[in-house]
Every structure is written in C-alpha cells, then in structure tokens.
Amino acid sequence: MIDFSKIKAISLDLDDTLWPVWPTIGRAEETLAQWLAEKAPLTVPLCAIPGYQRQIREEMPSLRPDLGNDLSALRREAIRVLLQRAGEDPNLAEPAFEVFFEARQKVVFFDDALPALQFLNAKFPMVALSNGNADIHKVGLASFFKAAFNPINLGVGKPDPHMFHTGAQALGVLPAEVLHIGDDPHLDVLAAQRAGLQAVWVNREEKPWTHDVHPAPFTVISLKALCESWPV
C-alpha cells in the first residue's frame, strides 16, 4: 500500500502512462515514410521490405554504443544508415529526423490523462521521467511539470536510480517523499522502489504481476482509479 501521508511530490512516466506510445510511433513512421518517398525516393524499396527499418534500429545500439539510450540520436542514425544503404544523401538524416520527431509529439492522450494531471498538479509539484523522447512542451504538458528528464538531457534512463534522484532533487524533496507513477513493472515500479521512492503501477491491461518481488505493488487500472483512491 501507499503511505499517502509521506507524499510531497509526484514523478510521472509519459509513454504508455499518459498515452499509448506505439500508435504514436506508427503514425510518426508513416509521416517519415511519406517524406522519404518525396525527398529520398531510392529509400522506397528498402522501406517496403517488412521489418527492414526495425532491423536497422535494433542494430544501432551495437553500432553506436556511444549514443547510449538516447532514442532521438539512435533514430537519427538509423535513418542515416537507411539513406546510405539506399544510395541517398546521408545528410538528409537531419531534416528527416525532424519530420519524424515533430510527428512523434502528436500524441493522443488516454481519456483520463489530462483530468488526472490536473488533479495531481493541484496537490503536488510534479516532474516527468521518461526513457522516450516525447517533449512536454510540444505535447502541451509543460504547465503541469516543474522539470522533465530523459536519457537525452540526463545521460541515463530508468531503471538507473540517478534519474529518480534527479527528479526528487528538482522538486526539492527527498526520494522517500516522491510517489512515482508509471506503467512498466521493471523500469517504473521496481526501479522507483529501489531508488527509495513509493510507486504506483498503472496496469491498464490488467496484466499479472510476474516479478519475484512480492507482494505486488500498489496497482490501479487507470489514472482515474488512482485519483479516486486518493484519501480525502
């Protein structure tokens, strides 16, 4: 259970907690493919090969370990490799990535996301902690958060405790005074607990708890349910 009396701040995951991420990525990839077809037509046959672009992206961490968990840099370099293999100008990777990145920010929120943000923000200062490259300004959430951290601006991502501790420091509280809210059992829940925070598992699909740590963490099926469970 959560000790609500200790909470002085909130840290919050973004992808798959506030919006479904893969439909967002899919739409962004379609937008990128349309741009490439116009600006770099030699990439079209490669893009038509099922799974080819995904294969390139999966190769990037080993090809460019220097980029770490920076998803923006990894995506940009994957586009560059695609262009090179197609015989196109690899310098097109920069504008191509910008097309993808702008489309990636066009998220469709879960119905309960914005009401929950308003509810939580009225009670506590909040910080966004994400391993993705969503931009809180571009998705329209900057007014809810005091700060936002990801591997791009921090150099590490979850489950590294440094991300959670940096979030707490940005809010001027101790880790034990932060409640972290997220959808991933390992990256959000267990990682936050190991960093000294309390955690809530937002389990929208009602998946079973399969980790060795028992009992299962405080779990809700939606952000709406979390707000409704808050003590008056």
Side-chain angles (χ1 to χ4, degrees):
M1 297 299 293
I2 297 299
D3 187 344
F4 288 95
S5 67
K6 293 184 177 180
I7 300 171
K8 294 184 179 179
I10 299 287
S11 63
L12 197 66
D13 175 55
L14 299 177
D15 290 328
D16 282 333
T17 296
L18 298 181
W19 57 78
V21 66
W22 290 114
T24 304
I25 298 298
R27 291 189 297 269
E29 289 179 338
E30 289 176 4
T31 300
L32 172 61
Q34 294 169 3
W35 188 93
L36 288 171
E38 178 181 346
K39 303 294 184 180
L42 295 180
T43 64
V44 172
L46 294 183
C47 292
I49 300 174
Y52 187 77
Q53 293 183 77
R54 179 177 296 274
Q55 178 183 336
I56 294 176
R57 291 196 302 275
E58 291 174 350
E59 293 173 359
M60 292 315 301
S62 60
L63 292 175
R64 293 295 307 273
D66 56 304
L67 299 179
N69 295 320
D70 185 337
L71 294 186
S72 288
L74 291 168
R75 173 73 67 164
R76 187 184 296 106
E77 291 308 303
I79 296 172
R80 195 183 310 279
V81 169
L82 174 68
L83 289 163
Q84 289 173 332
R85 292 182 181 178
E88 294 280 10
D89 181 2
N91 291 323
L92 288 173
E94 293 293 339
F97 171 75
E98 290 304 320
V99 168
F100 170 85
F101 186 72
E102 288 300 315
R104 188 260 188 270
Q105 310 306 318
K106 296 178 181 179
V107 302
V108 178
F109 294 101
F110 290 119
D111 290 342
D112 61 352
L114 295 179
L117 288 172
Q118 293 166 354
F119 175 88
L120 295 169
N121 192 47
K123 293 179 173 293
F124 307 105
M126 299 197 299
V127 63
L129 304 180
S130 176
N131 281 4
N133 56 0
D135 185 314
I136 61 169
H137 298 275
K138 292 181 180 294
V139 301
L141 298 181
S143 63
F144 291 109
F145 296 104
K146 300 295 184 182
F149 298 102
N150 57 38
I152 301 171
N153 61 21
L154 195 60
V156 298
K158 297 174 288 187
D160 194 307
H162 181 59
M163 176 172 275
F164 296 98
H165 294 165
T166 300
Q169 185 177 18
L171 297 174
V173 298
L174 298 172
E177 296 172 327
V178 179
L179 177 66
H180 181 70
I181 303 167
D183 73 286
D184 191 289
H186 174 61
L187 299 178
D188 287 308
V189 179
L190 294 178
Q193 291 176 334
R194 289 165 180 162
L197 289 71
Q198 296 192 79
V200 171
W201 183 24
V202 183
N203 183 15
R204 294 182 184 275
E205 298 179 1
E206 299 187 67
K207 298 177 181 178
W209 179 255
T210 59
H211 292 264
D212 292 336
V213 177
H214 293 283
F218 185 76
T219 305
V220 293
I221 61 170
S222 66
L223 292 172
K224 181 176 184 290
L226 172 62
C227 295
E228 290 175 345
S229 68
W230 214 275
V232 177

